[in-house]
Amino acid sequence: MSEVYTVEQIMEFLPHRYPFLLVDRLTVEEPGVKGFGLKNVTMNEEFFQGHFPGNPVMPGVLQIEAMAQTAGALVIASMKDLEKKPGVFFMSIDGVKFRKPVKPGDQLIMHVEKIKERGKVFVFKGQSEVDGKVVSEAEFTAMIVL
């Protein structure tokens, strides 16, 4: 059975805040291993002021960041008995592909799955979709720091 977390609960897991919190909802399919995040992309996003006037497109790097935030929240949600909130830091990003632009009004769904874990280092495979079509994908490594 899936577990769903609201944006308020996600903010308990991640240090990110407006305008850099890029996950509105998290669904955990397998605790600490597999799940997906949701980001409602609106014209109110600050980055649309300059990217690009008259043709707003969500920057690809922010799509990857949204995947990474989803993965971080997924892992931290599975760490129930922590005294201190951990940090999550990027270590590497590989195999990035951008397939379609993400525009205001889109609902970005970030699928993430842990493919390797060694101590505090996690490797995830991520794929983002809009309307069931892949818009971006990457493999990324992050470290959880307690």
Side-chain angles (χ1 to χ4, degrees):
M1 184 163 142
S2 298
E3 199 168 349
V4 178
Y5 293 91
T6 65
V7 70
E8 293 85 4
Q9 292 168 306
I10 293 165
M11 290 190 323
E12 293 174 16
F13 305 142
L14 300 177
H16 305 81
R17 297 295 180 267
Y18 175 85
F20 208 66
L21 180 61
L22 299 173
V23 184
D24 295 328
R25 188 172 67 216
L26 171 68
T27 300
V28 174
E29 296 170 302
E30 187 178 337
V33 177
K34 186 177 179 183
F36 62 93
L38 175 142
K39 165 71 176 148
N40 290 305
V41 181
T42 75
M43 191 58 196
N44 294 324
E45 311 290 347
E46 285 193 346
F47 50 78
F48 285 138
Q49 291 178 35
H51 200 269
F52 300 99
N55 184 26
V57 175
M58 183 179 188
V61 68
L62 294 181
Q63 295 173 46
I64 304 305
E65 174 67 24
M67 282 186 241
Q69 288 183 19
T70 300
L74 174 74
V75 170
I76 293 169
S78 70
M79 301 173 157
K80 302 287 187 195
D81 300 323
L82 293 178
E83 293 177 24
K84 181 182 171 196
K85 186 186 331 182
V88 181
F89 298 97
F90 259 139
M91 294 177 68
S92 70
I93 307 167
D94 295 302
V96 177
K97 292 187 176 124
F98 301 107
R99 307 228 180 253
K100 280 186 68 178
V102 176
K103 310 284 278 174
D106 286 343
Q107 191 172 68
L108 189 66
I109 307 294
M110 298 83 64
H111 298 272
V112 296
E113 184 172 358
K114 181 176 70 177
I115 56 175
K116 194 183 302 182
E117 177 182 349
R118 176 178 254 165
K120 297 176 188 175
V121 177
F122 296 79
V123 180
F124 277 87
K125 176 176 60 174
Q127 179 175 293
S128 291
E129 299 177 352
V130 172
D131 295 330
K133 294 184 174 72
V134 176
V135 295
S136 56
E137 56 190 277
E139 191 173 290
F140 46 92
T141 304
M143 179 183 288
I144 304 286
V145 181
L146 298 173

